[in-house]
Amino acid sequence: MRSDLSFAGLREIETELLAVLAADTQTAKGPEAKPAPVLLTDDEAVKAAAAAVLGSGEFKAGTNETLLLHAPAGLKAKRLLVVGLGKLATASGQAKAVHSVRNAAGTAVRFLKPRGIKELILALPVAEGLEAAACAKAVAEGALVGDFDADTYRSERKDQSVQRFTLVAPGTADRKALEAAFAQGALVGESQNFARGLVNEPGNKLTPTVLGRRAAEMAREVGLAWEVHSTEKLHELKMGAFWAVSQGSEEPPALIVLKYEPEDVKDGPVLGLVGKGITFDTGGISIKPADNMEKMKYDMAGGAAMLGAMRAVALLKPKVRVLAIVCAAENMPDGKAQKPGDVQTAMPTAPDKRGKTIEIINTDAEGRLVLADGLSYARQLGATHLIDAATLTGAIGVALGQVNAGAFANDDETFAKFEAALKVSGEKFWRMPLGEEYAEQIKSDIGDIKNTGGRYGGACTAAEFLHAFAEDVPWIHLDIAGTAWIDETRPYIAKGPSGIGVRSIVEWVRSY
Ligand code: BES
Ligand code: MN
Ligand code: ZN
């Protein structure tokens, strides 16, 4: 999808479809209350074209509700699409309102796709308390995210892309600022889709080696420094935990390292992004049941989120050094696979230390093994702050559903910056607890730590496992197992890979 920004007058635009947003301004409650949909535009001709239907009460401007008018009177556009935002909660800070605008842009794109309409012009919403630049960025993100569909291997793809998307912002005073915000939104949305494309790939097409190649191609395109290593390097770095997972597969592992080092930044923080890149998780010898196992191709969504975030970082060029490590492997049962009861030695967390010994209780708790070594390696490469993303536990889905992803942190200041990033990204993460008691649950009788902590608090014991490797380095852990794959299509996003995490990680990086 091509995206552009224009400042033309709405009524003059000749197009297949012009979309405008509407909010429900009704404040009264009770049986007397009637929905009061209001178009968020200053253009009198557009308002007049929609006046009759808005007055009819048939369209309530509910969240992502749509209404289509053909041959709207007084406009040059062939169709007028109205997309509802629900009640515009600008009073409680504009973050929520901006996010509803983001979703409405996605809804508009997804309205067009099955109808074969290839061109969308969307009017920037104008309302009190709604910041134009924030909206322009959100609209670009929402439109691009809405355009993605997962049916890449269908011979006849059902929903073809919208080819041309234009945001129109008549009457803009600061065009430069709006252009910049719109361009940023577009590249963030593209980066989220880049991650989704990777997550969507089946395990036979996207092996660890292929993931490494895709990461390298992307890095070359956007100008990131990159290295992709395999088995030998894992041994050299004494990554016994990462190798323990990899050893059960014919497919070699990939240790993917990307670096963003702006020339003029020589000191300050180094942000270390670490992603779980299990390209397929059978569970290993502790094999998973057949039901839904095919979904385990998305077990590299954390790694993909980090690659997507790095792509955006490379293009946005914030003044901070960032490195990303994706630990890619396939978790398979095999003659060489690790077994429950095995003891593995992780990479040392510091040069003067010995690697922690890990008792393997369940080979299906493999994500924390690869991440343990990934976190240590990020520290060795100089990361002062760590963030990891992983489809780590089914337990996080039990706790938070498919609505919120889980976030854990050993440092309130670092987490505060992440929370601020969530306001900008519109993504939903809920902070979950770490604690000594959870760490207790994963003490091993034979070694330092075991890789599962029993039935209760599974997401928290998994997080404590990672904490043992992040130690005192400020660190955030994102468990996206419940949210990285969407089971039902929503008005603004297709079912399939969600790309969760990309936008928040990017905004978190930009806050340094
Ligand atoms: N990749 C899974 C977690 C997962 C579950 C991701 C559902 C997406 C959807 C992870 O490797 C895993 O198998 N975790 C186990 C841990 C258990 C053995 C302690 C789990 O959650 O059951
Ligand atoms: Mn597993
Ligand atoms: Zn897994």
Side-chain angles (χ1 to χ4, degrees):
M1 187 171 84
R2 222 187 102 181
S3 52
D4 298 296
L5 180 60
S6 148
F7 301 99
L10 298 186
R11 71 186 74 179
E12 301 302 329
I13 298 173
E14 288 177 33
T15 174
E16 288 295 317
L17 188 142
L18 170 66
V20 284
L21 309 189
D24 178 6
T25 58
Q26 167 206 282
T27 46
K29 289 202 174 72
E32 297 299 291
K34 283 205 189 101
V38 169
L39 286 192
L40 303 184
T41 175
D42 291 334
D43 191 300
E44 294 302 331
V46 174
K47 281 190 197 165
V53 66
L54 290 198
S56 72
E58 290 163 30
F59 174 77
K60 298 178 175 59
T63 310
N64 301 315
E65 188 183 348
T66 49
L67 169 81
L68 182 67
L69 296 175
H70 278 256
L75 305 183
K76 289 191 179 157
K78 287 191 193 156
R79 302 176 188 80
L80 181 66
L81 176 70
V82 187
V83 184
L85 298 174
K87 294 212 168 73
L88 206 58
T90 40
S92 56
Q94 67 153 0
K96 263 202 181 137
V98 170
H99 188 51
S100 70
V101 170
R102 179 183 287 110
N103 286 348
T107 300
V109 169
R110 295 203 63 72
F111 183 92
L112 267 67
K113 289 191 79 177
R115 291 170 175 81
I117 303 169
K118 301 287 180 207
E119 182 191 40
L120 169 65
I121 308 240
L122 187 135
L124 185 72
V126 180
E128 213 184 295
L130 206 51
E131 209 224 314
C135 280
K137 175 166 177 283
V139 159
E141 290 170 357
L144 276 147
V145 167
D147 196 43
F148 180 97
D149 269 290
D151 58 351
T152 33
Y153 288 98
R154 246 190 213 153
S155 310
E156 277 178 55
R157 293 190 68 182
K158 207 177 67 197
D159 293 339
Q160 295 294 346
S161 281
V162 170
Q163 273 153 17
R164 190 142 179 221
F165 169 72
T166 309
L167 175 66
V168 205
T172 299
D174 193 349
R175 292 187 174 190
K176 281 254 153 9
L178 209 71
E179 268 160 11
F182 184 72
Q184 286 177 9
L187 70 88
V188 171
E190 279 159 12
S191 299
Q192 183 173 344
N193 286 349
F194 171 77
R196 294 164 84 195
L198 293 173
V199 175
N200 199 41
E201 290 293 335
N204 65 326
K205 306 273 185 202
L206 193 98
T207 60
T209 308
V210 175
L211 183 60
R213 197 181 305 145
R214 297 281 297 267
E217 277 165 18
M218 179 275 285
R220 238 178 271 128
E221 262 171 47
V222 300
L224 289 167
W226 62 273
E227 291 167 27
V228 180
H229 302 286
S230 192
T231 310
E232 228 170 275
K233 185 77 172 183
L234 265 58
H235 293 322
E236 183 193 311
L237 291 168
K238 300 194 162 54
M239 290 182 153
F242 185 177
W243 173 248
V245 177
S246 184
Q247 72 183 54
S249 173
E250 292 281 330
E251 290 294 338
L255 171 62
I256 302 165
V257 185
L258 304 182
K259 285 182 185 165
Y260 169 72
E261 289 168 331
E263 256 174 44
D264 46 340
V265 182
K266 295 287 171 232
D267 49 20
V270 177
L271 307 179
L273 281 44
V274 182
K276 170 177 174 181
I278 301 297
T279 57
F280 196 82
D281 182 12
T282 66
I285 295 298
S286 315
I287 198 162
K288 288 180 181 294
D291 266 4
N292 290 320
M293 203 210 267
E294 77 285 354
K295 289 275 173 63
M296 283 302 111
K297 70 174 189 175
Y298 85 78
D299 213 18
M300 33 59 75
M306 293 319 188
L307 297 178
M310 285 304 276
R311 182 186 182 279
V313 164
L315 297 168
L316 288 168
K317 306 194 190 331
K319 290 197 178 321
V320 61
R321 291 172 291 172
V322 191
L323 62 93
I325 293 168
V326 177
C327 300
E330 210 182 45
N331 190 23
M332 297 287 278
D334 178 75
K336 289 249 163 59
Q338 66 169 340
K339 306 166 291 296
D342 286 1
V343 174
Q344 312 290 5
T345 305
M347 179 179 173
T349 56
D352 57 334
K353 286 187 186 159
R354 288 208 284 177
K356 291 187 170 146
T357 53
I358 305 166
E359 180 186 7
I360 304 301
I361 302 298
N362 189 320
T363 65
D364 198 11
E366 85 296 341
R368 63 200 76 184
L369 298 176
V370 305
L371 287 173
D373 286 346
L375 289 166
S376 296
Y377 191 40
R379 291 176 63 180
Q380 188 187 100
L381 294 178
T384 59
H385 297 70
L386 297 165
I387 189 164
D388 75 69
T391 46
L392 202 63
T393 67
I396 199 68
V398 176
L400 300 174
Q402 300 189 326
V403 179
N404 279 278
F408 300 77
N410 63 354
D411 179 62
D412 290 343
E413 214 180 294
T414 307
F415 190 75
K417 286 177 90 70
F418 187 73
E419 267 197 313
L422 293 179
K423 285 242 159 75
V424 183
S425 74
E427 292 185 326
K428 284 189 170 177
F429 282 83
W430 193 260
R431 188 168 183 180
M432 296 282 291
L434 295 165
E436 265 305 309
E437 300 88 337
Y438 297 119
E440 238 359 91
Q441 280 177 245
I442 50 171
K443 284 199 170 143
S444 166
D445 291 332
I446 189 173
D448 297 326
I449 193 168
K450 56 186 183 182
N451 80 330
T452 64
R455 195 171 143 77
Y456 298 106
C460 303
T461 51
E464 273 301 345
F465 185 96
L466 300 180
H467 191 186
F469 297 89
E471 296 179 319
D472 292 333
V473 179
W475 154 79
I476 299 172
H477 157 56
L478 306 177
D479 192 339
I480 57 171
T483 45
W485 194 269
I486 299 173
D487 287 328
E488 299 285 345
T489 289
R490 299 174 195 162
Y492 52 89
I493 191 168
K495 64 182 170 186
S498 68
I500 181 78
V502 173
R503 294 205 307 265
S504 303
I505 294 161
V506 169
E507 299 303 338
W508 179 76
V509 166
R510 294 176 86 193
S511 77
Y512 279 87

